[in-house]
């Protein structure tokens, strides 16, 4: 499958034969757990994610799966490019996308937390007049501090956020914490949890009504295994 | 800056602009056939009028600016409030019911998304002075007809009755925070959030069942949904909501539109604005709603004697997008081409002939740069016009492109049909 023309042809065909339902899955870290979970629901067998096809159909062709960047899943679903999707609650809340979110899924457990240097004086966050916050979650970070009356200077980064305090780019960070080992390794401690995170099933608002039979079928299969 | 346009607005031109104008014209013509009269409210007015009953969200999205006397003005974010103001303040003594239709652009400070820029187009109707299910059904049926007129083959109207949910809220006697938690769970269709709400609430058995049944109160099986909802009525308001909904459904059945109607009693986005039925029009190809409406009996009273009212606003941009996707023809920028270019040397007979073709609806462009036949043929080839008419003493000679794309004179009658 290295012939670009053949591949283009194949993708052209898949656009014409759009499966009745498109399901967006997150690439990367969450991919394995999402795929394993879907297999348990029986919605699909193993998917060949190494295939260069853009849309991977399940066995009976009733659902097409699209592997998307995790941060893009809520966007795909809000716009209806995909009908259903799986993403983390952190990504969904940060995106602010208007989608239905019928079920939480039993994986990708972690939390979005404020963390700071271990030697930071033990004072409430609201005492700082204008803390600098490094984060991949500017919206949620801003919201968290605004609710406490603090006008934080939020510095958006796309990764390695824990470097912020180390390099004196920021006073605090807002980031995902699983075990806390990354924080400890960088001399940081967790100060406050902003959001308990797990994976979530999301559905496009129009598809929820227009494809309600198919969508309710998926919700039931998922509910049965959580 | 010079030559750029601000974020969120667009230039429409050529075929795209033509399609847009034609759709708006067809929608307005449809509304007029149902007895709706035109109204053209101002593009901006006092912000206090426009925010009479606007949600916090809509208020935050309004473009505001100061008049020279210091009063705050705003660009209209929708048409319903300006039309309600007109009826409440100036037309309150004209016999009811009054029907109005409109089309034009509205302005909201939002992140541009599919079929919605910061300036976007709405077409819709408002029906004042009728509280009856018949009025609701008329607006539903007109919405369905507008979808068909626009060329949308597949669409659904999702119909709810906000008083069922507001009645439930009243029956549960919740704090504001609890109401908000329930509203959020229902709006996002979130089972975990609903379970959290139920776990933390001391509710009676009937109350608990009513909340638990709520997510199931939607679907295309209208009778089933209404029967199920009936079983969980906790007070008069919930009951009256269903009685009203049944009457609206019965009246709508008279228009034979129920195949396209889906019931959803969890459709509660505009709680606090609508006072009866509310609905959204959806198409499979578009993830966003292409129109929404409902009954708003409390709005006109802000401006004058209270009047019941019901209406719908269709998103013209989203309607165009949905039609395009349904027909499977992606929009490529296409110039609007005339049927023919005309070369004539200031001749009355020639111009009379041109005028008579124009009167028949054909688009003819007359050469105004004084170019000769060769240049005009080259121009026609360049812009993709398939016919050039050159005046020869007493009649027009037509030139058409041959198989090689070269224009050659052709014999016989001149015809403009492709």
């Amino acid at each position: 499958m290295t012939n670009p023309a053949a591949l283009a042809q194949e993708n052209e065909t898949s656009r014409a034969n759009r499966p009745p339902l498109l399901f967006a899955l997150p690439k990367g870290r969450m991919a394995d757990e999402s795929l394993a979970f879907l297999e348990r629901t029986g919605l699909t067998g193993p998917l060949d994610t190494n295939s260069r096809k853009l849309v991977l159909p399940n066995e009976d062709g009733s659902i097409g799966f699209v592997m998307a960047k995790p941060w893009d899943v809520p966007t795909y679903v809000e716009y209806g490019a995909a009908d259903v999707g799986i993403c983390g609650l952190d990504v969904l809340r940060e995106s602010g996308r208007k989608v239905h979110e019928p079920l939480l899924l039993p994986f990708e457990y972690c939390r979005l937390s404020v963390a700071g240097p271990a030697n930071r004086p033990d004072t409430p966050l609201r005492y700082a007049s204008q803390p600098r916050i490094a984060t991949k979650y500017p919206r949620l970070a801003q919201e968290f501090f605004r609710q406490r009356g603090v006008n934080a200077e939020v510095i958006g980064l796309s990764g390695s956020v824990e470097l912020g305090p180390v390099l004196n780019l920021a006073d605090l960070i807002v980031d995902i914490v699983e075990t806390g080992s990354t924080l400890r390794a960088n001399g940081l401690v967790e100060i406050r949890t902003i959001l308990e995170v797990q994976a979530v099933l999301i559905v496009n608002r129009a598809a929820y009504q227009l494809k309600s039979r198919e969508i309710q079928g998926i919700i039931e299969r998922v509910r049965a295994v959580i | 800056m010079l030559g750029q346009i601000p974020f969120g607005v667009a230039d429409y031109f050529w075929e795209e602009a033509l399609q847009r104008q034609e759709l708006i014209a067809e929608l307005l013509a449809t509304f007029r056939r149902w007895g709706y009269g035109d109204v053209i409210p101002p593009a901006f007015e006092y912000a206090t009028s426009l925010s009479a009953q606007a949600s916090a969200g809509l208020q935050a999205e309004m473009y505001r600016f100061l008049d020279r006397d210091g009063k705050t003005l705003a660009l209209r974010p929708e048409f319903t409030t300006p039309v309600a103001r007109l009826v409440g303040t100036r037309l309150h003594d004209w016999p009811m019911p009054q029907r109005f239709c409109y089309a034009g652009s509205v302005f909201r400070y939002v992140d541009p998304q599919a079929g919605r820029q910061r300036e976007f187009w709405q077409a819709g109707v408002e029906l004042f002075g009728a509280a009856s299910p018949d009025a609701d059904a008329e607006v539903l049926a007109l919405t369905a007809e507008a979808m068909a007129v626009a060329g949308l083959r597949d669409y659904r109207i999702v119909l709810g009755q906000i008083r069922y949910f507001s009645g439930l809220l009243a029956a549960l006697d919740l704090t504001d925070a609890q109401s908000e938690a329930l509203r959020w769970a229902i709006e996002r269709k979130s089972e975990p959030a609903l379970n959290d709400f139920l776990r933390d609430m001391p509710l009676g058995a009937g109350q608990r069942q009513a909340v638990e049944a709520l997510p199931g109160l939607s679907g295309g099986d209208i009778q089933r949904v209404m029967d199920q909802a009936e079983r969980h009525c906790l007070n008069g308001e919930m009951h009256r909501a269903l009685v009203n909904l049944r009457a609206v459904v019965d009246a709508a059945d008279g228009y034979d539109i129920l195949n396209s109607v889906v019931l959803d009693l969890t459709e509660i986005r505009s709680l606090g604005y609508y006072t009866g039925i509310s609905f959204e029009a959806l198409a499979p190809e578009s993830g966003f709603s292409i129109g929404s409406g409902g009954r708003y009996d409390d709005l006109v009273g802000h401006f004058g004697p209270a009047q019941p009212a019901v209406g719908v606003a269709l998103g013209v941009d989203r309607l165009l997008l949905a039609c395009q996707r349904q027909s499977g023809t992606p929009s490529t920028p296409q110039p609007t081409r005339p049927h023919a270019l005309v070369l004539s040397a200031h001749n009355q007979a020639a111009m009379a002939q041109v005028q008579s073709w124009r009167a028949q609806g054909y688009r003819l462009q007359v050469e105004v740069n004084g170019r000769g036949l060769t240049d005009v043929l080259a121009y026609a080839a360049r812009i993709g016009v398939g016919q050039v008419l050159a005046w020869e003493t007493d009649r027009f000679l037509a030139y058409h492109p041959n198989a090689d794309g070269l224009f050659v004179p052709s014999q016989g009658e001149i015809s403009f049909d492709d």
Side-chain angles (χ1 to χ4, degrees):
Chain A
M1 280 303 292
T2 47
N3 179 353
L7 191 68
Q9 176 75 47
E10 191 166 335
N11 284 330
E12 193 58 44
T13 324
S14 61
R15 194 174 325 167
N17 311 323
R18 189 187 199 264
L21 210 79
L22 270 175
F23 202 135
L25 295 176
K27 275 185 201 168
R29 203 164 48 92
M30 272 178 79
D32 292 344
E33 276 185 301
S34 304
L35 291 167
F37 178 79
L38 283 174
E39 281 184 46
R40 277 201 288 139
T41 63
L43 287 167
T44 177
L47 291 170
D48 176 16
T49 51
N50 291 322
S51 152
R52 291 177 61 190
K53 277 200 224 171
L54 298 180
V55 177
L56 309 166
N58 66 350
E59 291 71 23
D60 61 3
S62 61
I63 307 177
F65 293 89
V66 193
M67 303 303 293
K69 284 269 172 72
W71 288 87
D72 294 340
V73 170
T75 311
Y76 281 38
V77 173
E78 187 189 28
Y79 276 66
D83 303 296
V84 190
I86 289 178
C87 65
L89 264 183
D90 54 332
V91 168
L92 178 61
R93 294 284 174 268
E94 176 67 21
S95 76
R97 296 287 176 189
K98 295 189 182 77
V99 294
H100 291 330
E101 42 182 294
L103 294 172
L104 293 170
L105 309 178
F107 55 92
E108 185 69 7
Y109 289 104
C110 55
R111 53 197 182 274
L112 185 70
S113 294
V114 184
N119 58 2
R120 176 181 174 275
D122 186 20
T123 52
L125 291 169
R126 66 194 139 78
Y127 283 10
S129 62
Q130 223 174 352
R132 293 171 303 158
I133 320 292
T135 185
K136 278 199 296 184
Y137 301 84
R139 196 183 142 107
L140 293 174
Q142 192 70 263
E143 179 67 20
F144 175 82
F145 284 95
R146 198 174 46 221
Q147 279 175 0
R148 281 153 184 79
V150 178
N151 211 347
E153 180 185 344
V154 172
I155 302 165
L157 297 177
S158 51
S160 303
V161 170
E162 58 288 342
L163 271 176
V166 176
L167 301 180
N168 200 21
L169 171 68
D171 306 315
L172 302 167
I173 66 168
V174 167
D175 204 14
I176 289 296
V177 181
E178 266 173 282
T179 60
S181 55
T182 313
L183 290 183
R184 277 192 297 281
N186 288 287
L188 301 172
V189 290
E190 219 174 329
I191 299 171
R192 190 75 49 82
T193 301
I194 294 183
L195 178 70
E196 295 287 347
V197 176
Q198 66 190 94
V200 57
L201 182 74
I202 59 175
V203 182
N204 173 266
R205 293 188 58 240
Y208 192 89
Q209 300 290 354
L210 297 170
K211 303 180 180 175
S212 80
R213 199 169 43 81
E214 294 89 335
I215 302 246
Q216 290 306 330
I218 288 180
I219 291 176
E220 268 160 46
R221 298 285 275 271
V222 170
R223 196 191 288 124
V225 297
I226 58 177
Chain B
M1 289 284 283
L2 192 65
Q4 300 180 1
I5 59 174
F7 194 56
V9 296
D11 294 314
Y12 301 103
F13 53 99
W14 292 347
E15 280 294 314
E16 196 185 2
L18 177 66
Q19 276 174 18
R20 180 169 288 259
Q21 301 281 34
E22 283 179 346
L23 173 61
I24 289 169
E26 282 176 48
L27 289 173
L28 285 174
T30 305
F31 299 154
R32 289 180 197 124
R33 283 196 294 273
W34 286 54
Y36 287 74
D38 287 74
V39 59
I40 307 177
F44 61 85
E45 55 182 288
Y46 291 126
T48 44
S49 301
L50 290 172
S51 26
Q53 216 181 348
S55 68
L58 187 59
Q59 295 214 26
E61 289 170 5
M62 276 169 27
Y63 275 90
R64 291 164 205 267
F65 49 101
L66 291 182
D67 206 350
R68 295 176 79 165
D69 62 4
K71 294 214 172 70
T72 306
L73 306 176
L75 296 178
R76 64 182 179 219
E78 43 102 22
F79 279 90
T80 304
T81 306
V83 181
R85 170 188 53 71
L86 173 72
V87 170
T89 54
R90 298 176 61 187
L91 298 174
H92 51 83
D93 55 354
W94 187 254
M96 296 288 167
Q98 296 185 35
R99 290 175 169 86
F100 282 109
C101 64
Y102 61 80
S105 54
V106 297
F107 308 86
R108 291 185 200 175
Y109 196 82
V110 292
D111 291 335
Q113 34 170 258
R116 177 164 289 186
Q117 297 279 310
R118 289 182 173 173
E119 177 187 19
F120 60 97
W121 291 67
Q122 286 190 333
V125 300
E126 314 292 350
L127 168 46
F128 298 96
S132 67
D134 285 353
D136 294 345
E138 173 169 309
V139 171
L140 284 172
L142 187 44
T143 303
E145 178 155 333
M147 298 285 131
V149 162
L152 214 54
R153 290 187 307 274
D154 191 8
Y155 64 88
R156 297 284 188 293
I157 296 174
V158 180
L159 173 65
Q161 222 295 2
I162 201 76
R163 287 205 184 272
Y164 188 81
F165 185 74
S166 58
L168 177 64
L169 287 183
L172 298 180
D173 192 22
L174 304 175
T175 65
D176 285 353
Q178 290 164 335
S179 297
E180 179 55 26
L182 180 57
R183 193 193 57 74
W184 193 91
I186 295 301
E187 201 177 304
R188 301 282 285 200
K189 317 268 188 217
S190 168
E191 286 182 25
L194 190 63
N195 291 338
D196 286 349
F197 170 85
L198 284 167
R199 196 179 50 237
D200 300 341
M201 282 292 299
L203 294 175
Q207 291 176 322
R208 183 166 295 269
Q209 281 165 12
V211 175
E212 283 169 349
L214 209 48
L217 299 181
S218 70
D221 188 347
I222 292 174
Q223 282 309 324
R224 179 196 64 82
V225 174
M226 285 194 296
D227 292 345
Q228 219 164 347
E230 188 71 59
R231 266 178 249 139
H232 298 287
C233 283
L234 299 176
N235 56 19
E237 181 163 12
M238 292 175 82
H239 181 71
R240 281 191 297 277
L242 287 177
V243 170
N244 171 259
L245 192 55
R246 273 185 206 280
V248 173
V249 166
D250 284 348
D253 193 28
Y255 291 97
D256 196 17
I257 57 166
L258 292 189
N259 281 340
S260 312
V261 173
V262 176
L263 224 53
D264 187 358
L265 287 167
T266 65
E267 177 51 57
I268 55 168
R269 283 166 315 113
S270 300
L271 192 67
Y273 178 75
Y274 289 123
T275 58
I277 62 147
S278 68
F279 59 92
E280 265 191 315
L282 301 173
E285 289 75 12
S286 161
F288 297 96
S289 80
I290 45 188
S292 65
R295 172 160 290 285
Y296 53 97
D297 290 348
D298 295 340
L299 182 57
V300 181
H302 285 275
F303 304 107
Q307 284 294 345
V310 57
V312 63
L314 304 173
V316 172
D317 313 71
R318 288 180 173 174
L319 205 45
L320 284 164
L321 201 63
C323 290
Q324 240 165 47
R325 291 188 182 162
Q326 245 174 47
S327 64
T329 48
S331 84
T332 48
Q334 285 285 336
T336 311
R337 297 187 175 89
H339 290 98
L341 301 186
V342 178
L343 260 166
S344 77
H346 310 137
N347 183 297
Q348 282 194 353
M351 291 318 288
Q353 177 67 71
V354 167
Q355 286 298 77
S356 98
W357 281 324
R358 283 175 172 161
Q360 292 168 46
Y362 297 112
R363 299 186 299 273
L364 280 79
Q365 261 180 25
V366 173
E367 168 62 20
V368 290
N369 288 60
R371 288 179 290 198
L373 181 61
T374 317
D375 288 344
V376 170
L377 291 179
Y379 173 65
R382 180 78 183 75
I383 65 171
V385 171
Q387 180 159 252
V388 173
L389 304 174
W391 186 253
E392 308 275 341
T393 354
D394 60 350
R395 64 186 186 91
F396 276 112
L397 185 62
Y399 291 80
H400 295 119
N402 64 11
D404 299 327
L406 295 169
F407 276 83
V408 291
S410 64
Q411 308 304 323
E413 292 282 294
I414 290 171
S415 153
F416 297 106
D417 301 316
D418 311 313

